[in-house]
């Protein structure tokens, strides 16, 4: 009997591995997460042209970063952003408007670099195509005064974009996405509500543009199906990056309350492992969640309410067994009554990526939570 139960548990884990967190093909290769300080940090830390030693991005805190920039004049801030755009654009705690300007400079420089690669006869045709694709993505992110809060070209690329105005919004929200999201797949016209950019736009409109929304693709996500999606390694690497974002927002913006986190699919594991405090988040909302890497809502800070969205009948994540065995799976179901999360409806939504679609009960509930009006 024990052997039979063990086999059943192993079978359940195998099923979880086969279907968890992805809609693409099997991904045999694991991803190496992008961690550590942004590119150019060594040159930044050695730059004493202003007579000051800049804070080391590898060891500093967002509060220290904010204090450093508060002691500089506008011309000094702009000079640092011009010399070190990739560092300033990714420094949590730096002035938000300065980060926008720095990331515009970084995107323009990276676009020029990719265009040069696309014409380099020493590279392969595949390299040329990849370079052209990246250059086009950078061009799109530069168009129309987009507010890019973070940009890192390393690996598959990371980006964070602000929808609405962080300087004047009464409340803020952060979208934490799941698998298959990176710089190139941050915003897909073919899947408007399955990307962080599409979710952010939908939430901004649903709140009557009263809430600034950050679409945060700031960690290395799993690709397709495979061990990355069924384990928590990438979430463990992403959680500290989310924590730094929240700490940076706390010292660089002045909304009425800390952000509300909206965590989709594998992103709910990142949010669970980040364990935000009341100073960092007003609440956490999970949707399409395979588990949060925690045993119950009691494992989170009691001052940060947790909401779990009911699964619609066509969301394949409902077929994922809520198990944790030999490092696979993400644990208890946040929508289960015993988990302790506050329920949110999903009426009108369809599929794994449909919870932010206009007209759904889920999006209406998200707007209420984001505005601080949810019971």
């Amino acid at each position: 009997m024990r052997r039979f139960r063990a086999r059943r548990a192993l079978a359940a884990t195998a099923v979880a591995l086969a279907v968890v967190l992805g809609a693409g093909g099997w991904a045999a290769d694991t991803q190496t997460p992008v961690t550590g300080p942004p590119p150019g940090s060594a040159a930044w830390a050695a730059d004493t042209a202003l007579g000051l030693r800049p804070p080391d991005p590898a060891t500093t805190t967002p509060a220290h970063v904010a204090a450093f920039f508060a002691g500089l004049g506008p011309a000094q801030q702009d000079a640092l952003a011009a010399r070190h755009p990739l560092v300033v654009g990714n420094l949590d705690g730096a002035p938000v408007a300065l980060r926008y300007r720095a990331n515009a400079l970084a995107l323009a420089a990276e676009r020029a670099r990719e265009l040069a690669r696309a014409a380099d006869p020493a590279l392969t045709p595949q390299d040329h195509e990849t370079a052209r694709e990246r250059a086009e993505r950078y061009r799109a992110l530069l168009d129309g005064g987009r507010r890019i809060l973070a940009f890192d070209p390393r690996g598959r690329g990371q980006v964070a974009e602000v929808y609405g105005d962080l300087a004047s919004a009464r409340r803020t929200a952060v979208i934490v996405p799941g698998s298959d999201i990176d710089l190139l797949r941050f915003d897909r016209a073919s899947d408007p509500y399955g990307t962080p950019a599409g979710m952010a736009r939908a939430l901004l409109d649903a709140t009557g543009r009263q809430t600034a929304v950050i679409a945060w693709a700031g960690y290395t996500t799993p690709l397709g199906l495979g061990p990355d999606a069924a384990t928590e390694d990438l979430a463990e690497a992403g959680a500290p990056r989310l924590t730094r974002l929240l700490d940076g927002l706390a010292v660089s913006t002045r909304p009425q309350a800390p952000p509300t986190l909206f965590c989709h699919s594998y992103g709910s594991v990142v949010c669970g492992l980040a364990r935000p405090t009341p100073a960092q988040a007003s609440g956490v909302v999970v949707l399409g969640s395979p588990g949060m890497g925690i045993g119950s809502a009691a494992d989170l800070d009691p001052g940060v309410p947790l909401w779990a969205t009911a699964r619609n009948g066509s969301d394949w994540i409902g077929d994922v067994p809520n198990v944790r065995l030999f490092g696979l799976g993400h644990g208890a179901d946040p929508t289960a009554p015993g988990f302790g999360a506050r329920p949110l409806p999903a009426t009108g939504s369809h599929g794994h990526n449909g919870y932010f679609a206009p007209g759904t009960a889920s999006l209406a509930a998200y707007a209420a939570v984001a505005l601080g009006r949810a019971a």
Side-chain angles (χ1 to χ4, degrees), residues 337-361:
F339 192 86
R342 307 178 187 192
L344 291 178
T347 307
S349 66
H350 300 282
H352 189 56
N353 294 338
Y355 295 98
F356 276 87
T360 59

Side-chain angles (χ1 to χ4, degrees), residues 61 115 173 181 264 266 341:
T61 65
L115 288 174
I181 297 297
H264 179 234
Y266 189 85

Side-chain angles (χ1 to χ4, degrees), residues 50-78:
L50 298 180
L52 301 169
R53 182 165 295 280
D56 185 352
T59 59
T60 192
T61 65
H64 188 192
V65 170
F68 172 77
F69 279 101
L72 303 179
Q76 292 174 308
Q77 292 183 4
D78 285 338

Side-chain angles (χ1 to χ4, degrees), residues 6 83 107 175 227 254 289 316:
R83 290 201 296 274
L107 282 162
I175 306 294
R254 295 290 182 269
S289 174
W316 56 261

Side-chain angles (χ1 to χ4, degrees), residues 30-41 57 86 90 92 134 138 150-159 181-183 216-223 228 232-244 266 270:
T30 58
Q31 300 292 302
T32 300
V34 171
T35 58
S41 290
L86 276 172
N90 288 289
D92 291 304
R134 283 219 166 195
Y138 298 156
F151 162 65
D152 190 334
R154 292 178 295 175
R156 288 158 45 210
Q158 298 180 0
V159 63
I181 297 297
D182 52 33
L183 185 69
W216 183 73
Y219 78 105
T220 303
T221 67
L223 274 181
D228 279 340
E232 294 173 359
D233 292 351
L234 294 182
E236 289 173 351
R241 299 177 74 84
L242 177 59
T243 296
R244 286 186 65 85
Y266 189 85
V270 178

Side-chain angles (χ1 to χ4, degrees), residues 304-358:
V304 181
L306 172 66
W307 286 270
T309 311
R311 293 191 188 93
N312 65 61
S314 55
D315 185 350
W316 56 261
I317 205 74
D319 296 325
V320 175
N322 292 106
V323 296
R324 297 184 85 180
L325 187 67
F326 304 133
L328 299 176
H330 306 300
D333 180 1
T335 67
F339 192 86
R342 307 178 187 192
L344 291 178
T347 307
S349 66
H350 300 282
H352 189 56
N353 294 338
Y355 295 98
F356 276 87

